Amino acid sequence: ASRAANILQSILYMKRQIDREELTPLLIRNTIPVCMAQYERLFSTVRVPGEEVDELLHFDSQESRHVVVWVQGLMYQLWVYDDKNQMLSAGELEKLLQDIIDDANKHKESISETERSIAALTGLPRTDWWKIQSQHFIEGINRDNMDIINKAVCMIVLFDIAPENI
């Protein structure tokens, strides 16, 4: 939780620099500046599958004020700004992330494998994913949850095992 909180705070700091256009431009051979316009879509951007062509959606800072935390196949919405539009501190993020981890551990036995596997849909061919999304994610709680995922600044994935054991 501590490492994830520090990384998340760094991500949010970089996003703020991009939003405020404070990020120092990259230079080719320390003389020619590179266009930084593409950095705007680094966060709060999602590629939504379509029948023929995918659609790239970008959300502004007013719509995208949370991250999605994926832990043990469960997804959580984590608000990362306070009511004064300030980023939460690393300590606050750590506490919230630890609460999420504890909740996931408490519920890990009661969640079915099907419910944990919803993220696997994104690994399907794009047209198959589009068909499923257009049938099952167009209204109600499924649509609301898809909006939460799509509008997130980013997704944080937490594992409880070391990468070499995956």
Side-chain angles (χ1 to χ4, degrees):
S2 178
R3 268 186 248 148
N6 283 311
I7 291 169
L8 180 53
Q9 190 176 49
S10 295
I11 288 169
L12 294 171
Y13 179 71
M14 183 172 184
K15 181 182 181 332
R16 184 173 68 186
Q17 285 184 303
I18 292 168
D19 289 347
R20 294 179 178 178
E21 298 181 2
E22 295 172 343
L23 196 60
T24 306
L26 296 172
L27 299 175
I28 297 175
R29 296 188 179 152
N30 289 329
T31 56
I32 304 168
V34 176
C35 176
M36 303 288 282
Q38 70 272 18
Y39 277 62
E40 176 184 319
R41 302 205 183 280
L42 186 59
F43 302 106
S44 307
T45 302
V46 63
R47 189 178 108 189
V48 178
E51 184 175 14
E52 305 254 344
V53 178
D54 290 353
E55 182 180 7
L56 193 66
L57 300 177
H58 178 71
F59 301 95
D60 66 26
S61 295
Q62 297 306 313
E63 291 180 282
S64 183
R65 303 180 50 73
H66 66 278
V67 298
V68 172
V69 180
W70 187 84
V71 94
Q72 296 187 27
L74 302 173
M75 294 186 198
Y76 295 84
Q77 181 180 22
L78 174 61
W79 296 98
V80 292
Y81 297 96
D82 65 16
D83 55 357
K84 296 177 183 164
N85 205 27
Q86 298 298 311
M87 288 186 304
L88 297 181
S89 70
E92 291 168 316
L93 291 170
E94 179 181 358
K95 165 80 171 82
L96 293 170
L97 287 168
Q98 189 60 55
D99 289 346
I100 288 171
I101 292 167
D102 293 344
D103 186 71
N105 287 332
K106 186 169 52 173
H107 291 97
K108 71 179 172 182
E109 300 302 323
S110 63
I111 304 297
S112 73
E113 191 61 34
T114 303
E115 291 171 306
R116 290 175 189 272
S117 302
I118 195 73
L121 292 171
T122 63
L124 294 173
R126 302 302 286 178
T127 52
D128 293 346
W129 175 214
W130 170 79
K131 286 176 190 172
I132 292 170
Q133 195 171 13
S134 63
Q135 292 170 359
H136 301 287
F137 294 89
I138 56 172
E139 62 184 7
I141 194 164
N142 287 346
R143 178 74 223 158
D144 295 343
N145 288 335
M146 190 58 64
D147 283 344
I148 289 169
I149 294 167
N150 288 344
K151 291 179 180 180
V153 171
C154 65
M155 180 175 278
I156 303 294
V157 179
L158 301 177
F159 286 104
D160 58 354
I161 55 175
E164 63 270 4
N165 297 327
I166 296 176

